Amino acid sequence: MIRRGLMQPYPLNVAMLCRRVESQFPDKTVTTRRQGRDTTITCRRLMQRSRQLADALRRAGVRPGDCVSTLMWNSQEHLEAYFAVPGIGAVLHTVNARLPADTIGALLDDTRPVAMLADASLLSTLRQVRLPSSLKLIVRVADGDPGNDERAAAIDYEGLLAGGSRAYEWPEIDEQAACGICHTSGTTGRSKGVVYSHRSTVLHAMSMLFADGIALSEHDVCLTVVPMFHAVGWGFPYACALAGASQALSWRQSDPQTLAGLIEQTGATLATAVPTVWINLLEQLRSGEIDAARLRSLTRLPIGGATVSSDLIDGYAQFGIRVQHCWGMTEVSPLGLVSTRRSWLSDESWSQRRLTPGVPLPGCELRVMTPQGTAAPAGSGAAGELQIRGPWVADAYLDPSAEDGRGGGDRFDTDSDGRRWLKTGDIAQIDSDGYVRIVDRAKDLIKSGGEWISSLELESALVQHPGVREAAVVGVPDSVWQERPVAFVSLVEDRDEAQLDLAGYLASRLPRWQIPERFIVLQELPRNNTGKLDKARLRELTRGDGRHGG
């Protein structure tokens, strides 16, 4: 009887990615555009600096298992920390730089960092944060205003690096050891910490190289616009290292002109951000403010974080750029679904499914749990809460007060075979071809007259209107119907609000009882600290108005 495989116990860890980049792709580059200036470095030099940072942190007293936090934008230095911190067995905690100071303080209380790397432009924010007693070292990254007295509060990053050795050897880290921590957006309560392992990080990076997924390869130049403090930059920094792709980083900027310039300068082949960023760029492409020739290298846009409209997909297709709808969560590292065309689909079938978040990546398993608490039959199309399991899916949340550090048990299911499933909070359907349709977030469904209205379905219909740029729908109390939908929209440039008939437009697409009585036009829809539409703020704008018929 043969019980075990006879293969090498080769650990999947970040040090493996470092060695691969150094040995296979030393001449690939990382370009950072910061305040109008480009800095380009080879991967050989980047890894030397990562080794220096790792050694310097070790000499400063950072030990395996210690947390090192970053308060930084997308930059070469942030990428160096991505490798150096987990490379010595410490845990990288990327803090959302757009959060208020009291929230940042609460997150640091959870992770208890011993060191923090902060962008010079964010030192004033950090000064307002109540810092934990565990924090012994604050490092200032990049040059700030020389006259800014905030500079004195931290040691210089380049000075710290000078004390580290380029010849530092990466230790062999257990692949199950903690690698990084990201916090959820906290849209349904206090933010929860998700602790990634080295193994989950590497496997997630591998999944992004699959041909029927993101298909990232050595031939690519990846522009990561999504902040590197959002779910590890959607995994692209590590996936690029594994694939050998060059990288472009836009610091804190996401305006169309900056991105077009960086794409043109670096020859970026794919770029990642939430839909709003690409809506803005598409408008300037259509108006001629940006010459499409500047984007000739760009072939695809993996987009997540919100619904992708057919106008966005078709608009970029006219310029030879493929939009790829993706779905994920911080708890899923974050990529779980990718919209890709399966071989047996007709053109008509694909035209319908291209608007969905797609199908699960290999390694991810899905199920839909009905309101009756049973798993819907595969391909039945029955609606229920989407649940997911896989090697890069969270099994618990960080709870510093628990003896084993595990918390959030109510967000997970254990089936009869002992398998763990993450409750996503999304209401979904899975069709017979495996495509997932997100009906809505459970908390955003609107109960009106005993019937459910999907805010997501209304939003998807509204953004098909040629005059609508973005849309968000919330439920408000109603004395007759319990709840009614209110739609908020922003308009494309030069569209006259008076000429819009949004109710009439929806009437041919949805049942009459689902159509909102009120449509509120805003110049821009509010967004939360992770760049998603801020429905809490929209609900505040309607608070106290429960009138039927609005």
Side-chain angles (χ1 to χ4, degrees), residues 127-206:
R127 190 177 185 178
Q128 303 171 45
V129 176
R130 181 177 54 80
L131 300 175
S133 59
S134 60
L135 189 61
K136 307 300 182 186
L137 176 67
I138 299 177
V139 182
R140 180 185 70 254
V141 180
D143 291 333
D145 179 0
N148 185 351
D149 62 6
E150 302 290 351
R151 299 182 56 177
I155 69 170
D156 177 65
Y157 181 81
E158 296 299 330
L160 178 70
L161 252 65
S165 171
R166 295 185 186 182
Y168 175 76
E169 289 293 331
W170 302 111
E172 205 60 89
I173 306 298
D174 182 349
E175 65 175 23
Q176 296 291 0
C179 174
I181 299 174
C182 287
H183 281 83
T184 62
S185 60
T187 53
T188 58
R190 191 173 186 271
S191 295
K192 297 175 283 291
V194 179
V195 183
Y196 307 119
S197 68
H198 281 260
R199 178 177 184 270
S200 72
T201 298
V202 173
L203 289 175
H204 181 267
M206 286 183 176

Side-chain angles (χ1 to χ4, degrees), residues 491-505:
L491 306 181
V492 299
E493 193 173 350
D494 299 328
R495 292 306 295 244
D496 184 358
E497 177 182 347
Q499 295 179 359
L500 293 179
D501 178 15
L502 296 178
Y505 179 79

